[in-house]
């Protein structure tokens, strides 16, 4: 049994969920998190002051699968 963790953009949750269901993996844990990385932050303005939102909203997936299906699950998440 393996546990796979993935941090993704929120809009990618639907397609990943559908891809995992096609493989027969119906169970997963989803957490809303904030992160900072390659995507970077976005500059915003509030009442004339400019600031940068460094931590962007993300979704963390936790998927438990058998050792035989690890590569299929990782491939489904990555594509």
């Amino acid at each position: 049994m393996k546990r796979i963790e993935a941090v993704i953009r929120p809009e990618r949750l639907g397609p990943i969920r559908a891809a995992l269901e096609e493989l027969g993996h119906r169970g997963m844990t989803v957490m809303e998190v904030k992160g900072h990385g390659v995507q970077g932050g976005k500059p915003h303005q509030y009442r004339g002051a400019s600031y940068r939102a460094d931590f962007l909203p993300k979704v963390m997936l936790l998927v438990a699968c058998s050792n035989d299906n690890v590569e299929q699950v990782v491939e489904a998440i990555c594509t």
Side-chain angles (χ1 to χ4, degrees):
M1 188 67 90
K2 299 286 184 183
R3 179 174 124 175
I4 301 169
E5 298 180 6
V7 178
I8 61 170
R9 294 180 185 177
E11 64 269 11
R12 298 298 304 152
L13 180 59
I16 290 174
R17 180 180 174 191
L20 291 176
E21 285 181 356
E22 286 181 18
L23 293 175
H25 292 281
R26 302 204 186 281
M28 70 178 75
T29 301
V30 179
M31 294 180 281
E32 293 181 6
V33 297
K34 292 189 181 232
H36 175 72
V38 176
Q39 190 179 5
K42 298 178 183 176
H44 296 283
Q45 287 212 330
Y46 179 72
R47 295 189 179 184
S50 181
Y51 70 95
R52 187 173 183 92
D54 289 332
F55 292 99
L56 300 175
K58 302 288 183 180
V59 172
M60 177 182 269
L61 295 177
L62 300 174
V63 179
C65 65
S66 65
N67 292 340
D68 300 336
N69 296 334
V70 171
E71 291 179 17
Q72 294 174 340
V73 171
V74 170
E75 184 68 25
I77 292 171
C78 290
T79 56

